[in-house]
Amino acid sequence: MTDTPALNPDRTAFYDAIAPHNLAPLWERLHAMVTRTPTTPALPVQWDYDNVVRSFLMRSGGLITAKEAERRVLILENPGLKGHTSATHSLFAGLQLIMPGEVAPAHRHAASALRFVIEGRGAYTAVEGERAVMEPGDFIITPSWTWHDHGNETDSPVVWLDGLDIPIVRLFDASFAEPNNAESQSISRPIGDSLARFGANMVPVDWKPARASSPVFSYPYARSREALRTLSRNGDPDACHAYKLRYINPTSGASAMPTIGACMALLPAGFTSAPYRSTDGTFYTVVEGEGETVIGDTVFRWKPRDLFVVPSWATHHHKASSEAVLFSFSDRPVQEVLSLWREDRLGG
Ligand code: GTQ
Ligand code: FE2
């Protein structure tokens, strides 16, 4: 590969001549476009929930109602992507607050969404006529074009992390959205119905898959935590990932939604992971424990409810000072389907 050619008056005149005809010289841009290794405008970034974000979020609760806002969400915007409404280059993240007695009206859209419960319990997300009651650490999905609304019938605020594939939908200019006639969709199935049908390693006898996303809407933390606890007793941790499980569509083994992959990892107390990088920029939140994540020269110390981003191809490792549980999501399933995903296990 050679360097970009030096400025040359004949060439500059040529570029000026072709520009009005919607033409441009590839040779001036090739090396910035076809990079030898991934580059990203996304930066490593961390949010301190308890000491910084929470008070702003609660202030937003006095400024606007959930109904007026439609969704009362503070965007977790990557400082390298200002104005883009993105946390990583391909994914949106936000923190949604729903106050006692509030509802967030029913709608559906092409974008797929995940919820990960940060604070409070007992609020619900209704998906396609079934309510999922939220407990901290629960992972809940609202797949593309499914009706969803939220409500809080408890007497405390509830906060969850939203992860959406909005930047991916935007890349393809494929956004559709529609409000429901009713503020809250009518309930057609009892709580726990989809988990009973599809979450016991069984499916209804004549069931055929209708879409790529998981028919299970809610992945309770208690189950994920118990699985990780058992694994951590049964064998050695992986050098890069410790004990890490990914959320799946139980009827296919694919990710719960086609555009967003999500995982939960348990890091034993004192564990330091081997350096690792992968092409999927990843959003993390801390469920339990304390420790740090080192991303190049950046060190993020974390505690429960903190949130942070590891950009694409950034070499990083985690250190847990106490037993820790990390939830994460990324665009890995998209990259895998497009044969783009790569990882590097450095020293692991
Ligand atoms: O809760 O339905 O953070 O539609 C962004 C878009 C949340 C939601 C967001 C949404 C929602
Ligand atoms: Fe939505």
Side-chain angles (χ1 to χ4, degrees), residues 71 107 109 115 148 164:
R71 298 295 188 261
H107 69 193
H109 37 68
R115 329 280 167 192
H148 55 284
L164 285 93

Side-chain angles (χ1 to χ4, degrees), residues 300-348:
F300 291 148
R301 287 212 50 81
W302 41 253
K303 59 190 180 307
R305 293 172 293 284
D306 284 353
L307 311 119
F308 62 96
V309 169
V310 177
S312 168
W313 213 239
T315 300
H316 63 279
H317 65 272
H318 310 291
K319 276 187 204 177
S321 38
S322 58
E323 184 179 68
V325 177
L326 299 179
F327 170 81
S328 62
F329 66 92
S330 79
D331 62 13
R332 177 173 166 174
V334 182
Q335 294 199 33
E336 286 182 329
V337 133
L338 301 176
S339 303
L340 291 170
W341 188 77
R342 287 206 206 183
E343 66 176 341
D344 232 349
R345 295 174 61 102
L346 302 132

Side-chain angles (χ1 to χ4, degrees), residues 59 85 207 277 314:
R59 252 169 79 182
T85 318
W207 183 82
R277 62 184 173 184

Side-chain angles (χ1 to χ4, degrees), residues 194-207:
S194 65
L195 208 50
R197 285 176 200 272
F198 303 104
N201 299 318
M202 303 172 95
V203 298
V205 58
D206 287 323
W207 183 82

Side-chain angles (χ1 to χ4, degrees), residues 2-267:
T2 56
D3 291 328
T4 313
L7 254 179
N8 165 317
D10 291 343
R11 291 180 188 167
T12 307
F14 175 71
Y15 304 159
D16 291 345
I18 66 174
H21 302 282
N22 306 313
L23 297 166
L26 176 62
W27 60 87
E28 290 287 352
R29 304 188 195 177
L30 185 61
H31 300 299
M33 280 175 41
V34 184
T35 61
R36 296 180 75 107
T37 54
T39 59
T40 176
L43 296 170
V45 50
Q46 179 183 35
W47 293 269
D48 179 332
Y49 182 80
D50 286 2
N51 300 308
V52 179
V53 179
R54 187 181 192 279
S55 65
F56 288 128
L57 200 53
M58 294 305 153
R59 252 169 79 182
S60 78
L63 282 178
I64 190 163
T65 63
K67 196 177 291 181
E68 194 191 348
E70 237 181 284
R71 298 295 188 261
R72 189 198 291 107
V73 174
L74 290 187
I75 299 162
L76 299 162
E77 189 167 56
N78 193 293
L81 298 162
K82 279 213 173 73
H84 289 258
T85 318
S86 304
T88 69
H89 214 166
S90 61
L91 295 169
F92 165 99
L95 287 169
Q96 182 159 174
L97 167 67
I98 183 150
M99 299 298 281
E102 287 192 319
V103 295
H107 69 193
R108 62 179 177 176
H109 37 68
S112 301
L114 66 80
R115 329 280 167 192
F116 189 77
V117 184
I118 301 290
E119 177 184 344
R121 49 168 37 91
Y124 65 84
T125 287
V127 186
E128 295 281 297
E130 179 179 340
R131 281 184 180 183
V133 177
M134 299 169 129
E135 296 288 327
D138 287 358
F139 170 69
I140 291 160
I141 61 166
T142 56
S144 180
W145 212 242
T146 54
W147 293 111
H148 55 284
D149 56 85
H150 318 296
N152 182 356
E153 295 169 349
T154 77
D155 48 21
S156 319
V158 174
V159 176
W160 61 81
L161 171 67
D162 283 325
L164 285 93
D165 60 2
I166 290 170
I168 297 175
V169 176
R170 186 166 58 204
L171 171 69
F172 294 117
D173 292 333
S175 173
F176 291 90
E178 188 178 10
N180 198 303
N181 299 326
E183 190 161 90
S184 301
Q185 57 185 304
S186 52
I187 296 167
S188 55
R189 289 177 295 152
I191 289 167
D193 190 71
S194 65
L195 208 50
R197 285 176 200 272
F198 303 104
N201 299 318
M202 303 172 95
V203 298
V205 58
D206 287 323
W207 183 82
K208 295 277 182 300
R211 54 179 159 226
S213 56
S214 172
V216 174
F217 295 123
S218 173
Y219 298 71
Y221 184 53
R223 288 192 179 191
S224 312
R225 186 67 181 84
E226 187 52 33
L228 289 168
R229 191 191 330 273
T230 302
L231 287 182
S232 73
R233 290 186 183 144
N234 289 357
D236 292 335
D238 177 82
C240 294
H241 304 305
Y243 304 96
K244 188 169 185 176
L245 296 172
R246 75 189 164 84
Y247 294 91
I248 59 157
N249 172 346
T251 69
S252 68
S255 52
M257 297 184 290
T259 49
I260 313 177
C263 291
M264 184 169 274
L266 186 151
L267 313 181

